[in-house]
Amino acid sequence: MSTVRPGRVGPQRGVPVEIVRPEYAATGHPRHAGDPGPLDAATLARMRRACRAAAAVLAEIGPLVAPGVTTDSIDAATHAAYLARGGYPSTLNYHGFPKSLCTSVNEVVCHGIPDDRRLQEGDIVNLDVTVYLEGVHGDCSATYAVGRIDAESERLVRVTRECLDRGIAAVRPGRPIADIGRAIEPFAREHGYGVVRNYGGHGIGTAFHTGLHVPHHIEPRASTLMRPGMVFTIEPMLTMGTHETLEWPDGWTVVTADGRRSAQFEHTVLVTEAGVEILTR
Ligand code: MF3
Ligand code: CO
Ligand code: CO
């Protein structure tokens, strides 16, 4: 099972002047968003379109995953796919992030930077797509198998996908955000997996990350009640061993502390009167 090492990161890709940029695009510093609560109908309508675009980009780039393909070439395709829809790559210069996509291979938990590493048969890779369109962000991700993968990795990916589904099914107006982690962590642990705590889901809208944090583990302090019109992501990261993480010296790449594999899936969801609607479809 190969260990991931930092590769060479190419230059930032350009964005045509006619594409509308988020507030941090030039400076790298997002404004402090707070937790805006439920979105109004007009913002929600924009959110639906941005999220649908993010889902469409992910559907477009997923099939590019194959042995021998560099993560930077997937970044190039993703960048072009955002621009083709009139969108800006939300990650580009977000707190200085250098690329248009996050690519997290094997023991990389999240925030992997696309580089010149070629995907190898047996790897798993999460592609995390976020687009800024019509003044709002849409965010989703999925983990893909590179060629044939071992049964253990396949099980990790399958259980992680199911954890996302269970987290989404726990979304109900009037219930606390903590219900989401309560639906995810016991199920993950039954399968022998860890649930990453250092990173979680987040409120999203005109800001990429609002002040609302969505834990995927059991966290009774996540007492904010879900209300119709609230939009946030659910994006559980499961690990084969410890849930503890380390960060590479690049200041971005998050890896498992024990080097064992991790998988992740993400949707942006809307709390409705009836329950939940997945926006990144
Ligand atoms: N898309 C990631 C998330 O799900 C955030 C990536 S931020 C970056 O929240 F700066 F690392 F790109
Ligand atoms: Co994401
Ligand atoms: Co997210």
Side-chain angles (χ1 to χ4, degrees), residues 68 70 105 122 127 132 143 162 175 232:
T70 68
V105 177
L127 304 180
Y132 182 74
T143 298
E162 186 156 355
R175 296 296 310 170
F232 51 81

Side-chain angles (χ1 to χ4, degrees), residues 91 94 97 102 111 128 130 139 202 208-209 235 252 266:
T91 62
Y94 183 71
F97 191 83
C102 293
H111 304 167
D128 192 336
T130 318
D139 189 7
H202 50 93
F208 190 168
H209 296 93
E235 47 182 301
W252 283 109
E266 174 175 26

